[in-house]
Amino acid sequence: MARHRGRGIASINYPIGMNLGGDPSQALVHSNPSGKFTVSLSSIDLGQGMKSVTRQICAETLGVPVEDVYVDTADSDTGPHCMGSFASRGTHRVGNAVMAAAKEARGVMMEAAAEELEVNAADLETDGRGNIHVKGAPHRSISTKDVAIAAQFKQGKTISGRGIFLVPLSAVDPETGEMSPATCYAHACLVAEVEVDDETGEVAMVRMDSAYELGRALNPRLVEQQLVGGAWMGISHALFETTEPYYPDPSRGPRDFVEYLMPGPGDICPHDIAVLERPAADGPFGAKGPGEMCANPVMPAVANAIFNAVGVRVDELPITPEKVLRAIKAQGGPRPQARR
Amino acid sequence: MLELRKDIFADERDDNLNEIGKGTQRQDMLGHVTGASTYFNDHRLQGMLHLKVLRSPHAHARIRRIDTAEAERSPGVRRVIRGADVPRNLNTLLSLINFGKDDEPTLAFDKVRYKGEPVVAVVADRDREAFEALARVRVDYEPLPAVFDVEEALKAGAPVVNETYPKNTFTYHDIYDHQKLRFGDVERGFAGADHVLEQRYQMSPIEHAPTETNGSIAAPDTNGRYVVYTSTQALFFSLDTCAKILDLPSNTFHFIGGTVGGGFGGKVDTLTEPLAILGAMLTGRPVRYLFGREEEMQYGPPRGAERIFLKDGVMRDGRIVARKVRAYFDSGAYTRLSSYAVVKCAAHLPGPYTIPNVYGDIYCIFTNRTPATAMRGFGVTAMDFAIECQMDKLAHLVGMDPMEFRILNAYRDGDMKAHRREAKNTALIECVQVAAEKAKWPLREEFKRMSSRKDGGGARAAVPATAADPRAPARPAAQQRTPYDRTPQSPAAPEPPRPAPPPPGPPTPAPQPAAHGAIRFSSVFGLRRR
C-alpha cells in the first residue's frame, strides 16, 4: 500500500464566441457635461469582470482615464441589445461594440476640442490623463471636462457614440460540416501532478503548471482570477462533481452541498501560470478571452497523470476513488509508469 | 502565480497603451466584498407574493387528470397556474435564432418527460403557504417506460421521450439525425496507419453550482408594463423568450439584471421569468420565483453528459493520419441548447491538431432526464477530455513523449482545419513549450525550436478529396427552414469518390521513431495493423 506520484499533460484550443447564431452585441457611450462617460449595455457581468474590461476598453479608446468611465448594465430600457454572456463572447463581442461606440464618441469629442482650440481635429491627441492637446505642442491643451462643457452648452454637440459588433451568421454544410464557427481561438497547455493512494483510490493534486494564450490580456488580474478559478473547476470536474453519480442510472442524485462534493481548500494545489498574448486580428486590442476554456485542460491532464502514477485509465468523469480503486484491482495492482 | 510572457509574439503587439494591460481593480469590487451589491433577490417589493411549482415524481408518465380544487382553497393561495393558463405553452429556446422546433411546455399538460418537470404553479402570500398548497394538488399519472441511456434511446422500440422528435434525436438540416463532419477519407487513413486505437469516453452531468440560485421577481409597472428583476445571464434572450411564451410585445417588459451570483451557463434557460411574470399578470401583485438548492441541483439544467467514441490511426513516427468520432450528447427530455453544442462540437474536431482525415457524427439525443444546457466549455469540454486522454494513449502507443507528440501534431498558421477554414493566429506549440519549461519537462531541441508560425500551410493547406456519404437524404422532413441551414444538396447527384491525394508530409523532418517496444501495447489499447 503506497502513494504514487504521476504527471500528465493536456493541450487544447477554444473558440471565442460562436457565429452559429449570428448574435451581435451593441453598446452606447455618452459623456455628461463634466466629461465623465457612461457606457450603456444590456450585457451581464457574471462576476467575471466584464464591466471592468469594457470600462478599460472604453477609456483606452476615448483616451481618458479609466476613472472617468462608468459601465452601466444591464437594463433593457436603457441598454441596447445584447444576446447575453455565454460562449466566451463577452470580451470579444461586447468589447468590440464598446470600442466602436467609444471611437464614435471620441470623434465628436475631438471635433469639439478642435473648435475650442481653433485647430484641425486631426492635429489633436489625448494624453490619457483627461487632456487633449495639439500634437507636438502640449501647452495648447484643453481638458476633456472643458470640452464637454463647451460641447453641451456652447456648441450644441452630443459627445456620444453607438457601437455594434456582429460576426455574420455562418451556414453549416449538412454533408461536410463546412462552416465558420468562430473568428479566433485561445490556446492552453497544462501539466498536472497528482498523488494516487492505491489503498483508497484517492487522488490528491500536487501541483499544476500551465501556459494560456488568450490574445491580449486586457486586465491581467482578471485573467488570473479566471484561470485560477477555472482550474479549480477543472479539478472539481475531474475528481468530484456530478449530479448523477451512477449515470446513466439517474438515482442517488445529490440535493445540496453536503451531498454534492467539490474541492475544499485542502484539495487544491499550487498552480504556476504563464500567459502568452498573440493578438487576435478582430479582438478589441487583440483580446480573445479566457472565460470558458480554462477548466478544460485540467480534466484530461489529471486523468493522464493518474495513468502515469498507477497505470490505470479511467475514461469516465468524474474520476472518483471508487473508479480508481476498481481499475487498480482489475489490473492486479498499481503499475507506476516511467516518472516524468 | 501568474507570469506574463511578453517576450513571445512581442512583434505582433503594441504594448504602449494607457489602460489596456493594467490590473485595474474592478468597478464593482467594493460592493461585492462588502455585500452591498444589489442582486435580483435583494429587491423587496410591497405586497410581493411567492411562486412555487409542483414537480413530477416520475421520469415519464402520462397526465390523466390534475385536481387543484383543494390547493386553491389552501390558506394564503392567490392563484394556481396550470399549463392552460400559459398563453403559448410550447417553446424552444433557440427559436429566437430559428433553430429547432418548439418542444417544451412551461407547465406540463399531456405528459411529464423527466422527474422534476413543472406541472402546476402556486402563487401564495408566503413560501410556506405555496408549498402547503402544492401538497394538496392531486395529479393522476399513468407511468410510462423511461429511457436514460443515449444508445438505448436510439434503438428501435425505445420509449419516445419527446413527441416533437419521435426518434429521440434532434433533426439537423431537415434531414439528418446528427451533424456530420467529413474531411478526407478516414478509412483509407486507418488502412495505412501503423496503429489504430478506438476508445470510449463518458462525461457525467455536472451542476453549475452558482452561489445564487436561478430566480426572478416580476412586478406590474405603470402603463401595462412589467418590471422584471432577474438572475439571467442573457438579458434580451430571456426577455424575448418571455415575450414569445406570454404572447406580448417585447416592450411590455423592463428587464433589470446585470449583477449575477455565478452563471457558468446555468442562467440562460429563462427558467423562472415566464411564470413570475404570468403570476404578476394574474394577481396584479409582484411575484417572486426563486429556486431552492435541491431544485437548482436536480431540476435546474446541468452540463449534459456526452458519450464519445474516438478512433485514431497513428504512424510509428507519431503522426496521426485519421480521426473518427461518434458522439452522443444527452440532451435530457427537451432540446434547450444541446442541439447547438453538437454543431459547436463538430466544428471543434479534431482538436487543435492537423490531421489529414477527419470524420465526425455528433448526435443530440433525448432521454427522460432533466434537460441539459450550456455550461462553461459547452460542446467542447467533454470532447477535449476524450481527445486529450486519447492523445496520451497514442503517444504511449508509439513510444513518444506526450509533449513532443502534441507539438508534432499541433496545427499551425496556414493549415486547413477540418471545418474547411484556414488556421490563423495559432499558438498551441508555444503553449506546450512554455508549459514544459514551467514544469521542467525536458523537450528535445528540435521541439523547442518548432513554431506555430513556421512550416504550416503548403500541402497542409489543402482540402482533401472527400467522398459524400452513400446514403443520400430521401426527402426533406417537416422541420422549418432556418437561416442556419443550407439548402440540402440534391440527392440525385452524389459526388463520385475521387482517389485520395497522398497524405501531407510531416511539418518538419519527423523525429526518429522511439526505439522501445511500444507496439506491444497494441493488444491493450487497440488493434495492431502492422
Side-chain angles (χ1 to χ4, degrees):
Chain A
M1 300 303 168
R3 293 197 177 99
H4 308 270
R5 285 202 173 187
R7 294 210 289 179
I9 87 148
S11 61
I12 61 154
N13 68 344
Y14 199 82
I16 301 304
M18 296 303 289
N19 311 341
L20 302 172
D23 42 359
S25 286
Q26 294 187 28
L28 298 174
V29 170
H30 77 275
S31 161
N32 73 11
S34 311
K36 306 293 185 192
F37 289 82
T38 299
V39 181
S40 300
L41 301 172
S42 68
S43 313
I44 307 290
D45 193 326
L46 299 167
Q48 81 277 44
M50 200 211 54
K51 279 188 244 186
S52 293
V53 165
T54 50
R55 186 181 181 211
Q56 284 173 269
I57 289 170
C58 183
E60 184 75 49
T61 309
L62 286 165
V64 304
V66 76
E67 296 75 27
D68 288 357
V69 177
Y70 182 81
V71 178
D72 180 48
T73 189
D75 183 316
S76 65
D77 274 8
T78 58
H81 191 271
C82 171
M83 274 306 251
S85 297
F86 45 77
S88 298
R89 64 191 296 285
T91 295
H92 191 264
R93 301 295 202 270
V94 183
N96 267 318
V98 168
M99 199 169 166
K103 265 183 192 158
E104 190 171 291
R106 179 185 164 96
V108 183
M109 179 176 80
M110 299 306 261
E111 287 295 338
E115 201 168 320
E116 292 307 298
L117 292 172
E118 297 181 334
V119 295
N120 193 318
D123 297 331
L124 292 176
E125 64 186 6
T126 48
D127 69 355
R129 295 191 296 274
N131 302 297
I132 300 168
H133 61 252
V134 177
K135 285 175 193 166
H139 60 283
R140 295 194 63 193
S141 171
I142 184 170
S143 68
T144 48
K145 181 181 177 182
D146 288 340
V147 173
I149 291 170
Q152 168 77 359
F153 296 108
K154 206 165 110 190
Q155 302 177 15
K157 283 196 177 91
T158 62
I159 299 182
S160 64
R162 305 152 298 168
I164 183 165
F165 189 72
L166 167 68
V167 181
L169 177 141
S170 165
V172 179
D173 188 281
E175 307 301 327
T176 63
E178 176 174 358
M179 60 179 127
S180 301
T183 58
C184 59
Y185 294 80
H187 302 87
C189 179
L190 185 137
V191 182
E193 184 169 5
V194 303
E195 192 172 74
V196 183
D197 186 323
D198 66 16
E199 189 174 6
T200 65
E202 282 174 299
V203 177
M205 297 299 299
V206 177
R207 67 171 286 118
M208 293 188 287
D209 292 281
S210 65
Y212 285 85
E213 187 281 311
L214 308 161
R216 186 179 314 262
L218 300 178
N219 183 323
R221 292 175 71 183
L222 290 177
V223 167
E224 184 173 17
Q225 166 207 296
Q226 286 280 302
L227 298 185
V228 170
W232 175 88
M233 185 180 269
I235 294 171
S236 196
H237 280 18
L239 299 175
F240 291 84
E241 288 188 66
T242 178
T243 54
E244 297 186 37
Y246 296 92
Y247 179 90
D249 173 355
S251 64
R252 287 162 289 189
R255 292 159 297 181
D256 58 30
F257 289 119
V258 177
E259 298 175 338
Y260 189 83
L261 298 184
M262 298 194 291
D267 300 313
I268 58 175
C269 65
H271 183 188
D272 200 356
I273 303 169
V275 166
L276 284 61
E277 301 173 277
R278 187 170 193 197
D282 69 345
F285 298 100
K288 295 175 185 174
E292 292 182 273
M293 48 98 72
C294 46
N296 290 353
V298 182
M299 288 160 252
V302 167
N304 295 337
I306 292 169
F307 172 75
N308 186 235
V310 291
V312 300
R313 296 283 187 189
V314 182
D315 293 334
E316 300 194 6
L317 288 174
I319 305 173
T320 56
E322 179 179 345
K323 288 179 192 165
V324 173
L325 205 53
R326 285 184 191 281
I328 290 174
K329 286 195 167 158
Q331 75 170 10
R335 284 189 208 151
Q337 305 294 304
R339 284 285 289 154
R340 54 196 196 202
Chain B
M1 200 175 76
L2 183 134
E3 169 198 21
L4 281 175
R5 288 295 300 267
K6 291 281 184 189
D7 54 315
I8 303 168
F9 302 121
D11 58 332
E12 296 189 27
R13 292 190 313 269
D14 166 18
D15 283 337
N16 188 26
L17 299 170
N18 288 316
E19 301 293 349
I20 296 297
K22 280 192 186 157
T24 308
Q25 191 175 87
R26 46 166 74 210
Q27 177 185 297
D28 47 11
M29 180 64 93
L30 197 62
H32 283 0
V33 299
T34 59
S37 296
T38 305
Y39 294 83
F40 92 88
N41 199 28
D42 292 322
H43 295 277
R44 284 286 174 273
L45 307 182
Q46 202 171 6
M48 187 168 79
L49 306 174
H50 302 268
L51 186 147
K52 298 289 169 189
V53 299
L54 181 71
R55 295 182 177 278
S56 161
H58 301 288
H60 197 192
R62 195 168 308 288
I63 299 174
R64 286 204 192 106
R65 188 163 163 274
I66 301 173
D67 178 1
T68 58
E70 202 186 329
E72 278 160 30
R73 291 193 299 270
S74 188
V77 169
R78 299 284 172 160
R79 177 78 197 207
V80 173
I81 304 173
R82 299 167 59 148
D85 299 315
V86 181
R88 291 181 72 179
N89 196 21
L90 211 55
N91 180 49
T92 191
L93 289 171
L94 291 176
S95 61
L96 295 182
I97 57 169
N98 283 327
F99 187 45
K101 294 179 270 192
D102 289 341
D103 69 341
E104 180 170 8
T106 299
L107 292 171
F109 55 95
D110 56 345
K111 259 175 59 169
V112 287
R113 297 174 178 86
Y114 66 96
K115 186 186 166 195
E117 179 163 5
V119 181
V120 169
V122 166
V123 184
D125 289 340
R126 295 182 180 80
D127 276 358
R128 183 195 173 103
E129 290 166 335
F131 284 125
E132 285 170 350
L134 290 177
R136 297 186 172 111
V137 176
R138 302 274 168 263
V139 184
D140 182 8
Y141 292 105
E142 175 194 341
L144 299 170
V147 62
F148 297 106
D149 184 278
V150 286
E151 289 175 274
E152 294 295 323
L154 281 176
K155 289 181 180 165
V160 174
V161 175
N162 182 337
E163 290 68 17
T164 309
Y165 296 101
K167 292 182 172 170
N168 293 336
T169 52
F170 185 80
T171 310
Y172 287 92
H173 313 284
D174 297 344
I175 39 177
Y176 292 124
D177 62 0
H178 61 283
Q179 175 65 51
K180 294 176 194 290
L181 184 77
R182 300 286 185 269
F183 185 77
D185 183 346
V186 281
E187 297 308 328
R188 200 182 164 100
F190 293 139
D194 291 327
H195 305 274
V196 174
L197 176 70
E198 184 167 13
Q199 298 278 282
R200 174 189 184 271
Y201 299 91
Q202 178 70 55
M203 171 65 92
S204 294
I206 290 175
E207 159 64 6
H208 304 84
T211 312
E212 170 204 55
T213 56
N214 269 279
S216 55
I217 297 170
D221 203 353
T222 51
N223 305 318
R225 298 180 87 213
Y226 293 87
V227 63
V228 183
Y229 301 98
T230 163
S231 68
T232 183
Q233 62 184 94
L235 200 75
F236 272 97
F237 201 101
S238 290
L239 189 153
D240 290 330
T241 296
C242 290
K244 179 182 169 192
I245 290 172
L246 300 169
D247 204 13
L248 287 168
S250 62
N251 62 359
T252 310
F253 306 120
H254 179 189
F255 270 49
I256 299 170
T259 300
V260 174
F264 308 109
K267 290 176 178 167
V268 183
D269 287 7
T270 316
L271 298 167
T272 61
E273 295 89 340
L275 281 177
I277 299 171
L278 186 58
M281 289 167 66
L282 294 173
T283 62
R285 300 266 293 269
V287 171
R288 182 182 80 152
Y289 178 14
L290 172 67
F291 272 22
R293 183 58 64 186
E294 183 178 351
E295 286 183 296
E296 182 75 32
M297 208 165 260
Q298 282 295 320
Y299 313 129
R303 180 198 285 287
E306 294 97 334
R307 181 171 303 162
I308 297 167
F309 294 89
L310 210 49
K311 183 177 179 183
D312 287 333
V314 63
M315 307 305 291
R316 278 196 205 91
D317 65 11
R319 281 176 298 133
I320 305 168
V321 292
R323 172 161 289 170
K324 186 172 184 177
V325 179
R326 186 160 42 95
Y328 303 105
F329 281 54
D330 187 342
S331 182
Y334 299 105
T335 309
R336 302 280 174 94
L337 306 166
S338 296
S339 53
Y340 187 89
V342 158
V343 185
K344 184 176 172 187
C345 180
H348 188 63
L349 300 178
Y353 306 105
T354 292
I355 298 176
N357 303 291
V358 184
Y359 184 108
D361 282 342
I362 322 290
Y363 294 78
C364 172
I365 309 278
F366 298 102
T367 60
N368 289 109
R369 59 165 40 78
T370 304
T373 194
M375 187 172 181
R376 189 180 215 161
F378 197 27
V380 169
T381 298
M383 188 54 75
D384 277 350
F385 174 71
I387 288 174
E388 288 304 306
C389 288
Q390 185 90 349
M391 291 298 283
D392 205 60
K393 294 174 189 177
L394 292 173
H396 201 83
L397 193 58
V398 298
M400 253 188 100
D401 176 274
M403 287 256 188
E404 294 179 356
F405 181 68
R406 284 169 173 86
I407 292 176
L408 175 71
N409 287 290
Y411 74 158
R412 302 172 185 225
D413 289 2
D415 288 359
M416 182 54 61
K417 297 171 75 179
H419 59 87
R420 290 172 162 75
R421 294 294 177 271
E422 186 190 326
K424 295 172 187 163
N425 190 243
T426 60
L428 193 77
I429 291 175
E430 288 73 13
C431 283
V432 177
Q433 289 164 335
V434 171
E437 198 180 303
K438 279 200 119 46
K440 299 183 175 58
W441 186 302
L443 293 181
R444 282 178 282 171
E445 270 310 311
E446 62 203 276
F447 288 94
K448 287 184 188 168
R449 282 197 304 270
M450 288 184 189
S451 163
S452 292
R453 301 196 281 188
K454 285 191 302 196
D455 303 313
R460 296 159 61 104
V463 176
T466 306
D469 280 9
R471 53 187 181 90
R475 60 179 174 79
Q479 188 179 349
Q480 68 198 71
R481 297 282 323 140
T482 72
Y484 175 88
D485 286 346
R486 283 185 174 174
T487 309
Q489 289 178 353
S490 162
E495 199 178 322
R498 281 174 289 173
T508 54
Q512 291 303 308
H516 42 102
I519 290 171
R520 285 196 303 273
F521 271 102
S522 54
S523 60
V524 179
F525 287 131
L527 185 64
R528 192 177 69 180
R529 288 302 178 93
R530 279 182 191 168

